[in-house]
Amino acid sequence: MDFLAPTSWAEALETKAAHPDALPVAGGTDVMVELNFDHRRPAALLDLTRVPELQEWSRDAGRIRLGAGVTYSRVITELGGALPGLAMAARTVGSPQIRNRGTVGGNLGAASPAGDSHPALLAAFAEVEIASVRGTRVVPVAEFFTGVKRSVLEADELIAAVRVTPPAGPQQFCKIGTRNAMVIAVSAFGFALHPDRRVVGTGIGSAAPTPRPAPEAAAFLAGELEAAGLWDSRGPLPEGLATDFGRRVRDAAAPIDDVRGSAAYRLHALSVMARRAATWAWDSYRDENRSAAA
Amino acid sequence: MTSTETRTAGRLGDSPLRPDGTLKVTGEFAYSSDLWHDDMVWGVTLRSPHPHARIRSIDVTEALRVPGVSAVLTAADVPGENAVGLEHLDTPALADGVVRYQGEPVALVAADHPETARRAAKRIVVDYEVLPAVTDPRRALDADAPLVHASREDNLVRAMKIRRGDPAPTAPVVVALDFEVGMQDQAFLGPESGLAVPDGEGGVDLFVATQWLHVDQGQVCRVLGLPPEQVRLTLAGVGGAFGGREDLSMHVHACLLALHTGKPVKMSYARDESFFGHVHRHPAWLRYEFGASEEGELIYAKADILFDGGAYASSTGAVVGNGGTLGLGPYRIPSVHVDARGVYTNNPPCGAMRGFGCVQAAFAHEALMDELADRVGVDRVEIRARNGMVEGDLNITGQVIDSAAPVAELIRTVRDLPLPPEPEGERDIRELPGGASNTTHGEGVVRGIGYAVTYKNVGFSEGFDDYSTARVRLEAVAGEPVATVHTAAAEVGQGLITIEQQICRTELGVDQVVVHPKDTSVGSGGSTSASRQTYVTGGAVKAACEAVRTSVLRRAAALLQRSDLRLDGDKIVAESGEVVAGLVEVLDEPVEETVEWRHRPTFPIDPETGQGNAHVQYAFSAHRAVVDVDTELGLVKVVALDTAQDVGRALNPDAVVGQIQGGSAQGMGLALMEEIVVQDGHVKNPSFTDYLIPTILDMPPMQVKVLEYADPHAPYGVRGVGEPPTISSGPAVAAAVRAATGKALRRVPIRPEHITF
């Protein structure tokens, strides 16, 4: 197996173009496990840890541009305020050691339905910046995943960054695991209120072949909030609305039974998480108003 | 001057630092997987993908063609008898004509690199004819069940009956339940590994992580067709055992490859292979019935216990023995009717694991005790105190409990320990079920408290000749007395090395005690299991020290021409108290004594009534668990897990508490998460990704109350420590979850969906 170690972004793209079957590796928390278990035997590894451009995040025209090589630990410590949903998700990833190595870009590249970043990125309407020697394209996260561990990435492409608009409203992330740390999601849910656009963002993890949003549920909730004038009044959620929303989120999922949990439990848990997340986010939204008034 | 005042730390009752402690914490400890020889090759194992199949043929041609491969071996290459096993020689070292479980070793490859060996193994062509498999142990004894072992009449490994008192008892209050316990794994962190070095004269030295060198040696000799002098074993660094290293894993395989290639052979399982490389805790199906008075006093108990032994017997017979003789818990019960059975299936083989047959039973008898308490309106602690054994009681096999049996004190002690504060106000999510996964901010969270008590036999039972050998040498080195203690008793992380040193220091008054590497050049130390080593090997070391002391004094008497001498520290003292010589003055020649030491004998039980003195000692413990359960999502946070245990005498108090903490975590793991999921004979989760063990965020700090009621029959009054915590913690946690949820929860591990649906 060849080990390719470019030291600049340009070189990385050229290397990927020249070795389209090279498997990119960042923190190695996923790739190395796959190699150790002999689940993958790539012709070459493309090590991206020496590419400085990937290790940085920046603000660009009001958006955060998160380099693909930024670790979960840094998301937690440096971006907890700007990307709260993603930071909440990052806190649930593995152990401290894994969070020190693992990256959001790597999570996207693996494209696991159980990736912890994905529901938060979906709810935030994030976009993936994809590059190759042919140029750069930007794909909404909701369109990035094409199947179990598959994405829109072409053989010569690398993930450059994730672009996220800092939230105009509260975000939440919840994840079910059968122990209190170091666990792969049985199911997960990301939620974001976008009061500037009067839109609700959602993301479902581990409950379908790909991470996916729950657009019908999101539109329903946003519409109900609109109809009741709640975006402006910031009044309490009508009774049953969060529960209705949770049910619709559940209906957007298509989970399987596996060793981590049953499909029925995953659906049930999603409805509970969605209800709770929406309630917490709405309560925060109302609190913002109160603290602003005070 | 009547005594030496220069007593140094490290004697009995102290807690000297373990020699391996810092090394393990800093990652410097040499485990068996770190063994290395410059000339070594690597061995790997090809395993069966099928739970039950006939092997029509094995073609190794392509594997042998892989550059770097030095040997490919199958059953045809076994020089001796192709049969191993702890109780029955029913296990082939390499499958011969048939495989009986997924993961059974079929062929071996040695190559200059482990990856080369693995690739070569994939080129071995095994032609399997898949056979019908027995995968439901409840069907294993059906007349039409396929036979797991064609040479046997049925799939029964052992059936045990216990009959006592009224054969047709009645009671005003009757409660009953069915319980199911999933398959737990020992999940030791150091996978199976070792190094076999051929001696060039037809023999082999094996360095291996194990629990009992001599029983390994006997089995390896049988397969190799060699006498014990030619198969020498030395203990390598052990990364946990918990029963999972009682059976052979790579031992014979590495030796076969080493003798075949003439090169040192290292074998080291990866984590996924480890799940197939050792036996697991038996899954169990239990049906219990208690009859009691209106006041909750037990009148009778009935139990039917089924253990799934898997494809090979391992220690299933002894597990059935424990489940049967101890399976009703530490209670006084006049009339008893117990049937315990272990069966062969085509599931993964099950055998020894910490708690050994008592763990499964305790979930059932403790759940039923709660049910009885509720039915008769008696407090759950008090019903245990009322029915709990006291010293002098007879247990269900009619054996007199002839040392402390403080059931009532233990359960009341844990009840009276301070409870964690009641939650109030906004809580840090890390304190809540789900923790940082942010699944609740308090919604749906209900607190529950549960209690459990247990007792466990210490040492080997039912007439087994359970002994240990210790060799102690006392000599002068650079003017100082130095003791060397040599036993073959395995240090698996429990702290035996420190105990051996403490005993020598205490008995011989020396400061310096060298622990000789554990190997087969001294007699058997018996198994590091059944909570027995401090008792049995400790007893042997004590006896060897006493023999050394006698020899030293005899020599001093001859030298000094007086007979009123005793050893006081490192001084030889006369009856008057006068110091007449230093110890080193009589150590011109070393003094060495070897002693084989036995505990009081045990006896087989009567096959019809189950009556008899089956066990040598009983150890008691109780737990109180406090849990917060998110009742809507089924997630559990253990808030407190407190315990009281009678240890007889704590020779090393820190080690005692360490054993209790670790055992409690392991029991809690079975209650809430630890299960090897087997479907149709196939293991679905052979990884630490999906076989979950508790992390530090799952295990609360513990209050540990250690009682010391010395057992007058045991050396220093010690009582085995390692297993009881594993037995009573899980049922306490399960009881707490039941209390929080109001659900019956008759199966462990309790999964979230058992709570939500």
Side-chain angles (χ1 to χ4, degrees):
Chain A
M1 190 188 305
D2 288 330
F3 188 74
L4 311 168
T7 54
S8 72
W9 183 233
E11 188 191 349
L13 294 178
E14 283 161 21
T15 309
K16 184 63 171 151
H19 302 271
D21 51 359
L23 179 65
V25 55
T29 58
D30 192 75
V31 169
M32 294 312 294
V33 174
E34 297 267 292
L35 296 183
N36 282 340
F37 278 108
D38 206 16
H39 292 162
R40 291 181 87 148
R41 255 323 148 66
L45 282 180
L46 177 59
D47 174 29
L48 297 172
T49 58
R50 293 164 173 82
V51 178
E53 293 93 327
L54 292 177
Q55 322 304 326
E56 299 307 324
W57 63 270
S58 58
R59 287 178 198 274
D60 180 21
R63 303 196 81 187
I64 302 283
R65 185 179 178 281
L66 181 70
V70 176
T71 63
Y72 298 112
S73 292
R74 289 183 60 201
V75 169
I76 294 165
T77 55
E78 299 170 27
L79 290 163
L83 303 175
L86 186 61
M88 292 169 103
R91 285 188 198 103
T92 74
V93 173
S95 60
Q97 295 90 333
I98 297 290
R99 295 194 286 273
N100 286 339
R101 292 289 305 174
T103 64
V104 176
N107 210 208
L108 283 166
S112 161
D116 290 321
S117 309
H118 311 329
L121 293 174
L122 284 166
F125 298 110
E127 295 170 324
V128 188
E129 185 185 316
I130 298 170
S132 70
V133 289
R134 295 176 287 123
T136 296
R137 62 182 176 129
V138 175
V139 177
V141 170
E143 294 165 23
F144 178 80
F145 307 104
T146 56
V148 176
K149 299 195 174 187
R150 283 187 292 123
S151 70
V152 299
L153 283 179
E154 299 288 343
D156 64 344
E157 287 181 322
L158 293 172
I159 298 169
V162 180
R163 298 181 186 176
V164 202
T165 305
Q171 301 187 344
Q172 284 292 338
F173 174 86
C174 321
K175 164 176 156 182
I176 302 282
T178 32
R179 71 179 165 196
N180 290 297
M182 285 181 49
V183 72
I184 299 202
V186 173
S187 60
F189 183 65
F191 182 83
L193 287 174
H194 301 274
D196 51 336
R197 295 186 288 149
R198 306 202 165 190
V199 164
V200 166
T202 54
I204 291 172
S206 278
T210 65
R212 58 162 71 158
E216 192 278 332
F220 161 78
L221 179 58
E224 292 293 307
L225 294 171
E226 186 72 55
L230 291 168
W231 289 110
D232 293 321
S233 73
R234 305 200 188 209
L237 283 183
E239 176 139 355
L241 179 56
T243 305
D244 264 0
F245 170 69
R247 225 173 269 139
R248 285 160 197 263
V249 167
R250 179 194 64 195
D251 292 344
I256 56 168
D257 289 318
D258 67 15
V259 73
R260 291 173 195 151
S262 65
Y265 175 76
R266 288 185 156 105
L267 291 172
H268 166 77
L270 267 178
S271 71
V272 175
M273 286 189 290
R275 179 197 349 127
R276 289 181 180 176
T279 307
W280 299 333
W282 189 256
D283 287 348
S284 301
Y285 181 58
R286 300 187 67 211
D287 283 347
E288 277 169 29
N289 194 35
R290 266 182 238 125
S291 35
Chain B
M1 186 172 160
T2 54
S3 71
T4 49
E5 297 299 321
T6 55
R7 182 177 174 277
T8 54
R11 303 191 181 204
L12 295 176
D14 297 335
S15 294
L17 278 183
R18 304 160 52 132
D20 55 330
T22 304
L23 295 175
K24 283 175 176 168
V25 172
T26 56
E28 293 168 283
F29 183 79
Y31 290 100
S32 56
S33 51
D34 298 314
L35 289 162
W36 191 269
H37 192 295
D38 283 345
D39 301 324
M40 73 188 188
V41 294
W42 294 78
V44 306
T45 313
L46 179 71
R47 295 175 181 275
S48 165
H50 304 296
H52 197 194
R54 184 169 294 121
I55 297 175
R56 290 203 193 95
S57 64
I58 304 178
D59 183 351
V60 302
T61 318
E62 289 305 311
L64 279 168
R65 285 198 182 130
V66 175
V69 168
S70 44
V72 181
L73 304 181
T74 67
D77 301 297
V78 171
E81 190 185 342
N82 188 7
V84 300
L86 291 176
E87 295 176 357
H88 303 274
L89 294 171
D90 62 356
T91 314
L94 287 169
D96 190 2
V98 61
V99 289
R100 298 183 176 89
Y101 71 98
Q102 181 210 15
E104 178 159 0
V106 172
L108 306 169
V109 178
D112 53 10
H113 190 281
E115 196 51 43
T116 305
R118 274 191 282 274
R119 289 184 192 195
K122 284 184 181 166
R123 296 192 181 199
I124 299 172
V125 181
V126 185
D127 182 11
Y128 290 107
E129 175 193 347
V130 174
L131 300 172
V134 191
T135 56
D136 183 348
R138 292 165 292 185
R139 301 271 74 87
L141 298 177
D142 288 358
D144 58 351
L147 286 176
V148 177
H149 295 268
S151 59
R152 300 181 66 95
E153 283 176 14
D154 55 31
N155 290 322
L156 184 67
V157 180
R158 184 183 184 190
M160 167 179 268
K161 289 190 283 189
I162 298 184
R163 306 284 186 265
R164 182 172 177 79
D166 185 346
T170 57
V173 178
V174 176
V175 290
L177 58 67
D178 288 306
F179 209 98
E180 190 179 330
V181 179
M183 183 186 289
Q184 189 180 20
D185 190 65
Q186 296 83 357
F188 43 67
L189 295 186
E192 295 85 344
S193 40
L195 178 71
V197 184
D199 64 8
E201 296 168 1
V204 63
D205 287 278
L206 176 64
F207 302 83
V208 69
T210 184
Q211 292 180 239
W212 189 356
L213 289 164
H214 285 77
V215 86
D216 293 353
Q217 183 188 35
Q219 294 177 88
V220 174
C221 284
R222 179 176 292 105
V223 179
L224 299 181
L226 292 175
E229 307 81 67
Q230 287 192 279
V231 180
R232 298 161 298 265
L233 273 70
T234 302
L235 187 69
V238 183
F242 313 110
R245 296 188 209 270
E246 290 189 28
D247 296 80
L248 297 184
S249 58
M250 44 57 65
H251 309 51
V252 168
H253 299 159
C255 291
L256 283 168
L257 289 170
L259 291 173
H260 195 86
T261 60
K263 290 183 175 176
V265 173
K266 175 170 176 173
M267 295 185 81
S268 190
Y269 294 174
R271 177 58 56 194
D272 54 343
E273 186 173 18
S274 178
F275 277 97
F276 298 98
H278 61 259
V279 299
H280 315 292
R281 188 190 299 292
H282 292 77
W285 288 258
L286 309 106
R287 170 162 292 186
Y288 273 56
E289 180 179 310
F290 284 171
S293 70
E294 303 280 4
E295 292 73 41
E297 193 174 332
L298 287 170
I299 295 169
Y300 73 84
K302 297 180 182 175
D304 188 292
I305 306 171
L306 176 66
F307 293 106
D308 181 359
Y312 295 103
S314 180
S315 46
T316 294
V319 168
V320 169
N322 266 19
T325 60
L326 300 159
L328 290 174
Y331 301 115
R332 210 171 26 250
I333 313 172
S335 294
V336 169
H337 186 288
V338 175
D339 286 295
R341 285 162 300 148
V343 295
Y344 284 116
T345 65
N346 295 110
N347 290 325
C350 290
M353 185 174 170
R354 195 178 196 175
F356 205 82
C358 296
V359 166
Q360 297 92 329
F363 279 101
H365 64 65
E366 290 306 271
L368 194 53
M369 204 47 125
D370 281 349
E371 188 139 319
L372 176 62
D374 296 354
R375 179 75 68 83
V376 297
V378 173
D379 176 79
R380 290 179 174 186
V381 169
E382 281 309 312
I383 200 156
R384 289 175 167 84
R386 277 185 207 175
N387 285 291
M389 288 174 177
V390 298
E391 184 170 351
D393 276 345
L394 300 181
N395 70 1
I396 66 171
T397 71
Q399 183 171 8
V400 177
I401 307 295
D402 63 1
S403 70
V407 176
E409 183 180 354
L410 289 167
I411 195 74
R412 287 175 179 148
T413 297
V414 295
R415 177 196 60 197
D416 294 340
L417 288 169
L419 278 165
E422 283 292 321
E424 52 180 273
E426 204 166 305
R427 296 166 74 185
D428 188 319
I429 58 167
R430 287 170 297 183
E431 296 171 5
L432 290 164
S437 291
N438 188 41
T439 45
T440 179
H441 295 175
E443 301 94 326
V445 176
V446 180
R447 180 156 290 186
I449 301 177
Y451 295 92
V453 62
T454 188
Y455 83 142
K456 168 75 179 53
N457 60 324
V458 174
F460 280 29
S461 299
E462 297 186 62
F464 192 91
D465 181 22
D466 191 19
Y467 68 95
S468 180
T469 315
R471 178 176 297 155
V472 173
R473 177 184 173 94
L474 188 61
E475 62 198 317
V477 177
E480 297 289 333
V482 175
T484 301
V485 57
H486 189 186
T487 76
E491 164 69 60
V492 301
Q494 82 277 34
L496 182 66
I497 285 178
T498 316
I499 288 289
E500 291 181 351
Q501 290 175 315
Q502 290 176 260
I503 291 173
C504 289
R505 289 195 192 101
T506 303
E507 294 297 333
L508 298 174
V510 298
D511 291 337
Q512 296 186 56
V513 181
V514 175
V515 178
H516 189 283
K518 309 285 192 172
D519 61 26
T520 50
S521 71
V522 68
S524 173
S527 183
T528 296
S529 57
S531 307
R532 68 179 280 289
Q533 284 298 19
T534 296
Y535 188 137
V536 187
T537 292
V541 172
K542 176 175 188 277
C545 286
E546 287 163 354
V548 165
R549 202 167 55 207
T550 302
S551 294
V552 165
L553 291 175
R554 195 181 301 127
R555 192 184 285 179
L559 214 66
L560 301 167
Q561 294 298 309
R562 55 193 296 179
S563 59
D564 63 336
L565 302 175
R566 62 190 165 88
L567 198 58
D568 189 348
D570 59 356
K571 306 281 190 295
I572 291 165
V573 177
E575 206 171 355
S576 63
E578 178 198 357
V579 175
V580 293
L583 178 55
V584 288
E585 291 170 47
V586 299
L587 291 177
D588 292 344
E589 294 287 318
V591 176
E592 182 178 287
E593 298 289 346
T594 304
V595 172
E596 213 170 72
W597 191 87
R598 287 169 168 76
H599 58 64
R600 292 185 294 166
T602 61
F603 301 92
I605 61 166
D606 183 282
E608 291 308 313
T609 65
Q611 299 300 292
N613 291 347
H615 305 300
V616 66
Q617 187 188 58
Y618 298 94
F620 296 77
S621 68
H623 274 82
R624 181 191 65 194
V626 182
V627 303
D628 280 346
V629 182
D630 182 337
T631 52
E632 248 188 319
L633 287 173
L635 303 179
V636 178
K637 173 84 175 175
V638 180
V639 177
L641 186 56
D642 299 318
T643 187
Q645 182 170 336
D646 174 23
V647 304
R649 184 175 166 202
L651 298 192
N652 184 324
D654 282 0
V656 162
V657 172
Q659 282 289 306
I660 291 172
Q661 289 171 332
S664 299
Q666 207 156 23
M668 181 267 272
L670 175 56
L672 295 179
M673 62 186 83
E674 293 193 39
E675 182 175 10
I676 294 185
V677 178
V678 182
Q679 280 171 10
D680 302 324
H682 291 267
V683 174
K684 309 307 279 186
N685 56 339
S687 73
F688 279 166
T689 303
D690 285 316
Y691 183 88
L692 301 182
I693 54 178
T695 71
I696 196 158
L697 293 180
D698 298 285
M699 183 67 194
M702 293 183 69
Q703 300 177 78
V704 178
K705 194 85 182 165
V706 173
L707 307 188
E708 295 186 81
Y709 291 120
D711 180 347
H713 313 289
Y716 305 116
V718 297
R719 204 179 287 285
V721 172
E723 290 173 286
T726 316
I727 306 169
S728 49
S729 69
V733 170
V737 177
R738 283 193 294 271
T741 60
K743 301 258 180 186
L745 301 174
R746 298 302 188 219
R747 185 187 196 284
V748 288
I750 298 167
R751 293 172 167 273
E753 56 214 67
H754 298 154
I755 295 171
T756 57
F757 294 120

